[in-house]
Amino acid sequence: MDWQNLKYLVVGSGFFGATMAERIASQLNEKVLLIDKRPHIGGNCHSQTDEETSIEYHTYGTHIFHTSNELVWNYINQFTSFNGYRHQVLTTYENKVYQLPINLETINSFYNLSLKPFEVEQFLKEQIGNDYIEHPSNFEEKAINLIGKKLYEAFIKGYSKKQWGCSPAQLPVDILNRLPFRKSYNESYYNSKWQGIPEFGYTAIFEKMLSHPNIEIRLNTDFFSLRSHLYPDTKIIYSGPIDSYFDYCYGKLEWRTLEFEKEIIEVEDYQGTSVMNYADEEIPFTRIHEPRHLHTERNYPDNKTLIIREYSKADDGKNPYYPLHNIKNRELVLKYRALADSQPNLIIAGRLGDYRYYDMHDTIHRALSLFNERMMK
Ligand SMILES: Cc1cc2nc3c(=O)[nH]c(=O)nc-3n(C[C@H](O)[C@H](O)[C@H](O)COP(=O)(O)OP(=O)(O)OC[C@H]3O[C@@H](n4cnc5c(N)ncnc54)[C@H](O)[C@@H]3O)c2cc1C
């Protein structure tokens, strides 16, 4: 490699890095080296086929593409078409199945009632009663203010404890912004204008995005193994964890990670849906994925199916998934952000670089915006 003349280095081949590399190669018509320490492209959106069942699954958990952003929708449609999948989530609590996000069906089924939408507010007000807290200071208080203690304890408390490894009373209020709640029977998980699963899977998108002759890909390549070869003029676009780039000089950010356990079951359909949450705290996993439901247009076997149990764990620094939002981490990330912003030849972003939960469309939008702001000058 001619390190001295390397103009663009992109670290990470997830949606952030792939979008940046694709734009540099095709819009700037410049050569770019894209590296990833994993043995595959696609970051956490990578998909693969299970050999025994031929069912395609998402290696790092079920991914549904959804967006209302026209720019992102037009961009991604250059590389794939989507099937007609519409996401719906169910949850099992005490051996009974309910709809999520909490909606009129969930409430009526839980309380064995037939409330009408206009009766829900008054009903919940009575349920909340004296538990209402004027100025909620954490996730638990805010949730109880919204839906009352009983629904909170059934559907949120145990699941959140498993997901975040702590009591919801220790989590910030704004986590609840990610939990939609409805007074109608609307059971669609997303409200986005467009949604679906890429017809030929996620990996095929990345193969197409990165097929430009200006892009050289090196897998199994850690940034830190080649950093010493780099020259100051090389523009680095880094989508790994922001604290790692600066050698953890201010301390380590905390993350949650996931572990997945695959099993083949000898029935055609195990759970009737792609994702089933498990709300009870005593059940060690948070969800079961059954990926055959993501592609109902395909011919999958009728005598076996693939299921994947998902477990949430504290991160050992090797496999970061979700940022852990507390004051300490928020302050830490601001300090790292200031360092990154002081270096003109460096862009750090993406879900690991920004230390933020991004959906795929947010990630692509972030990359397209940064490309326009920082690279089109
Ligand atoms: C369980 C789960 C489910 C999700 N479901 C959805 C969903 O249904 N819909 C949706 O829109 N979004 C979903 N998301 C979000 C989606 O995964 C992210 O938006 C997307 O992956 C972010 O892309 P990225 O490029 O920022 O990061 P990543 O995909 O994580 O890519 C970063 C890459 O950088 C590489 N890297 C890191 N450090 C180094 C290094 N030192 N050297 C070389 N390479 C390095 C990593 O190996 C990785 O491949 C989900 C996320 C999770 C965790």
Side-chain angles (χ1 to χ4, degrees):
M1 170 56 70
D2 178 6
W3 296 109
Q4 191 161 5
N5 289 312
L6 177 67
K7 217 166 160 188
Y8 295 99
L9 171 69
V10 173
V11 182
S13 65
F15 265 121
F16 186 81
T19 305
M20 280 295 201
E22 187 282 327
R23 291 288 77 199
I24 293 166
S26 57
Q27 192 153 348
L28 300 184
N29 196 20
E30 294 276 6
K31 294 210 174 304
V32 50
L33 173 64
L34 173 79
I35 61 164
D36 201 303
K37 63 181 182 184
R38 285 172 170 165
H40 61 71
I41 53 172
N44 268 22
C45 303
H46 179 74
S47 62
Q48 64 189 103
T49 300
D50 173 63
E51 273 181 24
E52 193 178 333
T53 59
S54 75
I55 293 171
E56 181 163 9
Y57 66 100
H58 304 159
T59 317
Y60 304 95
T62 302
H63 276 70
I64 318 308
F65 195 92
H66 67 102
T67 188
S68 298
N69 183 322
E70 198 164 357
L71 186 79
V72 171
W73 184 242
N74 290 339
Y75 179 75
I76 197 73
N77 272 274
Q78 297 176 74
F79 310 105
T80 186
S81 47
F82 288 87
N83 68 11
Y85 179 83
R86 292 285 171 275
H87 198 41
Q88 185 199 356
V89 177
L90 297 164
T91 190
T92 298
Y93 171 67
E94 292 186 343
N95 267 327
K96 198 172 163 192
V97 175
Y98 298 89
Q99 288 183 0
L100 278 188
I102 293 173
N103 66 12
L104 191 49
E105 163 63 24
T106 322
I107 296 169
N108 278 337
S109 176
F110 183 72
Y111 285 105
N112 203 14
L113 293 169
S114 315
L115 294 173
K116 297 260 186 297
F118 58 87
E119 294 168 327
V120 173
E121 200 171 327
Q122 182 56 34
F123 174 76
L124 288 182
K125 225 176 180 176
E126 288 159 21
Q127 292 299 312
I128 297 160
N130 294 336
D131 294 325
Y132 188 83
I133 289 165
E134 198 62 50
H135 300 292
S137 63
N138 60 52
F139 176 43
E140 177 170 274
E141 291 174 359
K142 175 106 183 260
I144 292 172
N145 272 4
L146 261 184
I147 55 175
K149 218 171 197 165
K150 276 191 176 162
L151 284 169
Y152 160 75
E153 283 179 350
F155 297 116
I156 295 180
K157 191 176 179 181
Y159 189 87
S160 301
K161 264 189 171 174
K162 289 193 286 186
Q163 188 172 16
W164 297 107
C166 65
S167 159
Q170 293 166 268
L171 294 168
V173 174
D174 55 14
I175 287 203
L176 204 61
N177 297 340
R178 278 181 40 77
L179 284 179
F181 154 67
R182 304 197 180 111
K183 293 174 194 163
S184 70
Y185 287 112
N186 179 2
E187 57 186 303
S188 175
Y189 195 72
Y190 297 116
N191 288 321
S192 305
K193 192 166 171 186
W194 298 285
Q195 64 171 296
I197 303 294
E199 225 168 336
F200 303 103
Y202 284 97
T203 297
I205 301 185
F206 291 95
E207 282 166 354
K208 204 162 174 193
M209 286 175 88
L210 302 175
S211 64
H212 196 287
N214 280 343
I215 302 175
E216 180 186 336
I217 302 172
R218 287 193 186 183
L219 298 175
N220 297 306
T221 305
D222 195 312
F223 172 70
F224 300 102
S225 69
L226 54 75
R227 188 183 214 175
S228 59
H229 299 301
L230 296 174
Y231 281 76
D233 283 347
T234 302
K235 201 159 193 101
I236 300 170
I237 293 122
Y238 184 84
S239 65
I242 190 166
D243 56 349
S244 67
Y245 186 89
F246 296 107
D247 302 319
Y248 311 100
C249 63
Y250 297 131
K252 275 195 163 188
L253 290 163
E254 296 166 295
W255 302 83
R256 295 292 289 173
T257 194
L258 299 179
E259 278 178 18
F260 298 98
E261 179 188 86
K262 283 169 67 186
E263 191 182 349
I264 296 181
I265 311 267
E266 307 226 321
V267 294
E268 182 179 6
D269 186 352
Y270 178 72
Q271 62 183 15
T273 192
S274 59
V275 181
M276 175 71 75
N277 286 12
Y278 283 81
D280 303 84
E281 201 183 330
E282 306 73 48
I283 294 178
F285 45 87
T286 47
R287 317 196 268 182
I288 295 183
H289 306 263
E290 190 176 14
R292 71 179 304 135
H293 294 285
L294 300 171
H295 287 285
T296 49
E297 75 281 10
R298 292 185 184 174
N299 285 325
Y300 283 145
D302 58 11
N303 59 348
K304 51 189 168 186
T305 190
L306 171 69
I307 65 161
I308 305 166
R309 293 185 190 84
E310 176 180 314
Y311 298 83
S312 178
K313 309 233 155 117
D315 182 41
D316 55 3
K318 286 197 190 129
N319 221 352
Y321 276 73
Y322 294 109
L324 199 61
H325 288 294
N326 56 38
I327 291 166
K328 184 180 145 218
N329 290 325
R330 281 178 186 186
E331 286 177 357
L332 206 49
V333 84
L334 286 179
K335 286 166 87 175
Y336 282 120
R337 175 55 45 208
L339 261 189
D341 291 344
S342 69
Q343 302 193 15
N345 267 351
L346 174 67
I347 292 178
I348 301 188
R351 73 175 178 106
L352 304 171
D354 283 318
Y355 196 68
R356 282 187 61 177
Y357 181 84
Y358 284 142
D359 271 331
M360 290 177 278
H361 65 105
D362 301 316
T363 307
I364 295 170
H365 187 246
R366 175 91 170 119
L368 293 175
S369 308
L370 277 176
F371 176 79
N372 284 335
E373 283 163 29
R374 302 272 305 269
M375 322 277 279
M376 290 295 286
K377 282 179 200 162

